[in-house]
Amino acid sequence: AQSVTQPDIHITVSEGASLELRCNYSYGATPYLFWYVQSPGQGLQLLLKYFSGDTLVQGIKGFEAEFKRSQSSFNLRKPSVHWSDAAEYFCAVINTGTASKLTFGTGTRLQVTL
Amino acid sequence: DTEVTQTPKHLVMGMTNKKSLKCEQHMGHRAMYWYKQKAKKPPELMFVYSYEKLSINESVPSRFSPECPNSSLLNLHLHALQPEDSALYLCASSWRDSLGQPQHFGDGTRLSIL
């Protein structure tokens, strides 16, 4: 079965600093990968997705992610973090055995200091 | 603002009560999902409906009973819940129940079982 690993449980960055959140997946073929963000008390919002093609994908709110097959990674980046980016971030993969089943990583909580 | 609307936002119920959670979307999506999310954990899939038919039940206890009366509406009927069922219940929808379709989430119903 496919799985995703988010090695960092908690990350703190200063406002204006760059951000990289790590995500590693395990799957033999090209996976369908997603990044979601969850603010406190809210549902999940899709930031970006990767299915195929260009390995650098742009998302909403200034986020981007790069798919690296050689490293089995799909890291999320943002050049300059804003205080409003403080939230929980989930990497997810589609289980291609069941088209609609999203498997989430354990999440990374981002704290932004002013 | 989310395009998937969940009501109520909060629900407190006793173990002998019967209540229902409601989810509505008007995006023309034909796949709808229920997830359960415990604190500081990722969402876990419970049920998937595709074209108003139940396609996935992730071995959820029978005290949770889903219903999809039409293409825009998804209910989760609750009866005789246990304290460990206290969680955030998230509804999601996607264009179709097919590979790679991104899921759009509501803000959830926070359920507390007394």
Side-chain angles (χ1 to χ4, degrees):
Chain A
Q2 299 175 80
S3 65
V4 288
T5 302
Q6 294 180 249
D8 304 304
I9 296 173
H10 186 207
I11 283 183
T12 300
V13 300
S14 300
E15 189 174 39
S18 64
L19 171 70
E20 183 169 27
L21 302 182
R22 296 184 291 165
C23 173
N24 294 99
Y25 66 90
S26 65
Y27 186 58
T30 299
Y32 288 66
L33 293 159
F34 306 82
W35 274 101
Y36 282 88
V37 61
Q38 185 176 31
S39 297
Q42 296 189 3
L44 279 72
Q45 183 180 24
L46 179 67
L47 288 176
L48 45 79
K49 60 186 184 291
Y50 174 77
F51 298 158
S52 64
D54 193 347
T55 57
L56 185 63
V57 293
Q58 302 297 320
I60 63 171
K61 303 186 177 187
F63 285 94
E64 66 178 25
E66 186 170 12
F67 173 69
K68 292 185 177 180
R69 183 188 302 278
S70 61
Q71 299 177 18
S72 298
S73 69
F74 187 57
N75 294 348
L76 182 71
R77 302 194 295 245
K78 187 170 185 178
S80 178
V81 170
H82 188 262
W83 65 266
S84 60
D85 293 324
E88 188 85 22
Y89 290 80
F90 292 100
C91 183
V93 64
I94 282 283
N95 183 339
T96 53
T98 305
S100 56
K101 185 172 179 179
L102 267 177
T103 299
F104 288 91
T106 50
T108 297
R109 177 158 295 277
L110 174 65
Q111 183 176 356
V112 180
T113 58
L114 300 177
Chain B
D1 288 340
T2 181
E3 296 174 344
V4 176
T5 303
Q6 291 188 242
T7 55
K9 293 191 182 303
H10 302 275
L11 179 62
V12 180
M13 58 186 288
M15 289 189 285
T16 58
N17 293 155
K18 287 185 180 181
K19 296 286 185 184
S20 297
L21 310 185
K22 179 180 173 181
C23 172
E24 200 163 3
Q25 57 85 17
H26 296 287
M27 296 179 282
H29 291 179
R30 301 308 297 272
M32 297 185 77
Y33 312 79
W34 280 116
Y35 287 84
K36 175 182 179 180
Q37 185 179 25
K38 299 286 279 185
K40 301 187 187 304
K41 297 289 188 183
E44 295 177 346
L45 183 67
M46 300 174 71
F47 303 102
V48 180
Y49 272 83
S50 179
Y51 288 87
E52 297 88 67
K53 289 186 173 20
L54 184 65
S55 60
I56 295 177
N57 177 341
E58 290 288 287
S59 302
V60 179
S62 59
R63 58 185 183 268
F64 295 90
S65 176
E67 178 196 22
C68 190
N70 60 58
S71 60
S72 300
L73 189 57
L74 184 67
N75 298 319
L76 186 62
H77 303 297
L78 315 173
H79 174 54
L81 295 194
Q82 303 299 308
E84 61 265 26
D85 297 322
S86 297
L88 181 68
Y89 288 84
L90 294 164
C91 174
S93 69
S94 64
W95 176 246
R96 297 297 184 263
D97 177 14
S98 56
L99 196 61
Q101 292 293 325
Q103 296 180 22
H104 300 261
F105 285 80
D107 284 340
T109 294
R110 187 160 300 281
L111 176 66
S112 297
I113 307 300
L114 300 178

